[in-house]
Amino acid sequence: MEPEYRTVPGQARLLVGADGTRTAEVSGRHEGRPFTPDSPFRVASVSKVLVGELARRLHADGQLDLDADAADLLDVPLRHPDHPDAPVTLRRLVSHRSGIIDPAVYWMAAPGDIRDLLIDTIWEPGVRPGAGFRYANLNYGLAATVMEAATGERFDRLFTRHVADPLGLDIGFNWSGVSPAKRRSGFPALRGIPAAWAVQVDGADTLAGAQPAILREDGWDLRDYVPGTNGTLFSPQGGLRASVNDLAVIGQEVILAQPELWTQLWIAAQTGGRGSESEVVAGRGSEEGHFVAFGDALYIYPDGPLPGETDAAWVGHHGEAYGVYCGLWAVPARGEVFVHADLGSPPDGSPLLGGTPNQTALATEAFAWASRRIAG
């Protein structure tokens, strides 16, 4: 379908559109169904936007302190060896300013304890927590654990009660809290070629299931889980299931509705005047321009994501995992939201094309199209 503007009186214009066919192996044959703006899928790292929102809402409710020492709740000495006086806080975790780097595996199957992931070295040398930036998925597993420890409640249930339900959205992490009907309409993440797609996540059995899709040992029961021991269980770094339309609402109700989220908490050095050597250690963590600036659980492109396309700031998040490439972006200066999603990619990933590293050709094309449309 041709993407179209949908206007809600007094609110943002939503630029919405989707096209494609769901293809999955079912009983030895392929079944095709259209992918639409209402089809839920695993939105990868766009999930982090909602984890940050949950943390802020729990803080506003007085259930936790975003700036408290996370080590007190985790009951571990979470300290950078080069900067033992700098606490790791929930705010620093969700803005990737904790000094933590990802280990080879940043998740733990039940009934494991997330503290076991902290045994190996997880610190960026020389980067003081609160001052430097390094994107790390483990930050979000730890953030979810902190929220559970502070409240005594499972992360997925906290999310449903404090974020999904108030927003009026049928969404959830690893399908927890999502209605059976919406789950059955889900779209899998795919890799391969059109004639031979291979399901990576959310195959037919998962979509027909009734329990949250979590990694667990055989025989382990979710009812035995102790909140505050393994926040990676519901994949806070990337496990949200939501549709394009859901993400558009999130862009409007979460990103555009909170101007304080547009504040740059970290700016890369050596990016054409956007930062300075005093603000970050030699631009460390910028991944050759992929990260230009970062806020409270949000990417920030101060001049737009593509050179020359628009001079308005974009605020949002990329998503990339298991063959899915997607993004949720708000353009505050114009009160608009843009969502794109590509749910199938070649085995070796889609080629890069201009823009910034880790942007696929399709994403770059979508950015260019949306930038021209928004500017016009």
Side-chain angles (χ1 to χ4, degrees):
M1 61 176 284
E2 172 67 16
E4 60 184 22
Y5 280 117
R6 300 178 185 176
T7 303
V8 179
Q11 300 184 41
R13 287 198 302 171
L14 309 182
L15 184 56
V16 176
D19 193 12
T21 301
R22 171 187 171 187
T23 306
E25 186 71 24
V26 181
S27 301
R29 62 184 178 83
H30 282 88
E31 177 187 84
R33 287 201 304 194
F35 172 63
T36 76
D38 292 316
S39 302
F41 64 99
R42 189 182 190 276
V43 304
S45 286
V46 175
S47 307
K48 293 180 173 72
V49 176
L50 277 300
V51 178
E53 179 65 7
L54 174 58
R56 290 186 293 271
R57 292 190 179 203
L58 292 175
H59 175 86
D61 289 345
Q63 297 193 55
L64 54 75
D65 183 350
L66 281 170
D67 298 305
D69 191 339
D72 294 339
L73 286 169
L74 294 176
D75 196 27
V76 292
L78 196 63
R79 282 291 189 278
H80 195 302
D82 298 334
H83 304 283
D85 61 322
V88 172
T89 66
L90 188 53
R91 192 186 305 276
R92 289 173 177 176
L93 287 168
V94 299
S95 60
H96 300 290
R97 296 179 300 135
S98 65
I100 288 172
I101 59 177
D102 272 334
V105 174
Y106 47 81
W107 61 88
M108 179 68 65
D113 193 307
I114 194 173
R115 293 159 185 81
D116 293 337
L117 294 177
L118 307 180
I119 295 173
D120 296 330
T121 301
I122 59 167
W123 302 103
E124 180 76 6
V127 176
R128 181 183 180 84
F133 174 91
R134 170 62 71 180
Y135 189 92
N137 287 291
L138 181 57
N139 282 325
Y140 278 70
L142 289 169
T145 308
V146 168
M147 288 187 272
E148 288 187 344
T151 63
E153 191 172 355
R154 261 177 26 202
F155 168 77
D156 60 318
R157 291 173 172 168
L158 284 170
F159 174 75
T160 297
R161 188 155 58 88
H162 290 275
V163 180
D165 286 351
L167 288 174
L169 296 177
D170 188 2
I171 61 178
F173 281 82
N174 288 359
W175 296 111
S176 178
V178 180
S179 68
K182 187 161 184 178
R183 182 169 178 167
R184 287 193 297 271
S185 72
F187 199 104
L190 306 168
R191 285 199 188 280
I193 57 176
W197 290 113
V199 174
Q200 307 296 298
V201 175
D202 292 340
D205 289 345
T206 297
L207 297 178
Q211 296 298 314
I214 60 175
L215 290 175
R216 67 181 90 186
E217 294 180 0
D218 290 343
W220 185 83
D221 195 309
L222 183 56
R223 290 174 294 185
D224 295 331
Y225 176 66
V226 178
T229 58
N230 181 14
T232 72
L233 202 60
F234 289 91
S235 306
Q237 80 284 351
L240 180 69
R241 268 56 169 198
S243 69
V244 166
N245 277 337
D246 293 328
L247 294 181
V249 172
I250 291 163
Q252 174 179 293
E253 300 295 334
V254 173
I255 303 177
L256 285 183
Q258 301 181 82
E260 63 272 21
L261 300 185
W262 314 338
T263 300
Q264 300 170 26
L265 300 179
W266 169 86
I267 307 171
Q270 302 173 339
T271 55
R274 291 190 178 109
S276 68
E277 289 289 341
S278 63
E279 292 171 311
V280 66
V281 181
R284 187 172 301 199
S286 65
E287 294 189 14
E288 299 178 0
H290 180 63
F291 297 104
V292 175
F294 213 86
D296 195 348
L298 292 163
Y299 283 75
I300 298 173
Y301 290 111
D303 300 318
L306 294 177
E309 293 292 347
T310 176
D311 59 359
W314 285 40
V315 183
H317 215 291
H318 291 283
E320 176 187 347
Y322 301 111
V324 171
Y325 292 86
C326 60
L328 163 60
W329 304 97
V331 186
R334 297 185 173 91
E336 297 191 341
V337 171
F338 168 58
V339 181
H340 69 89
D342 170 10
L343 272 62
S345 68
D348 58 352
S350 298
L352 301 179
L353 177 64
T356 59
N358 301 334
Q359 269 176 208
T360 65
L362 179 61
T364 302
E365 209 172 295
F367 281 156
W369 181 88
S371 295
R372 290 192 297 271
R373 186 89 173 231
I374 289 170

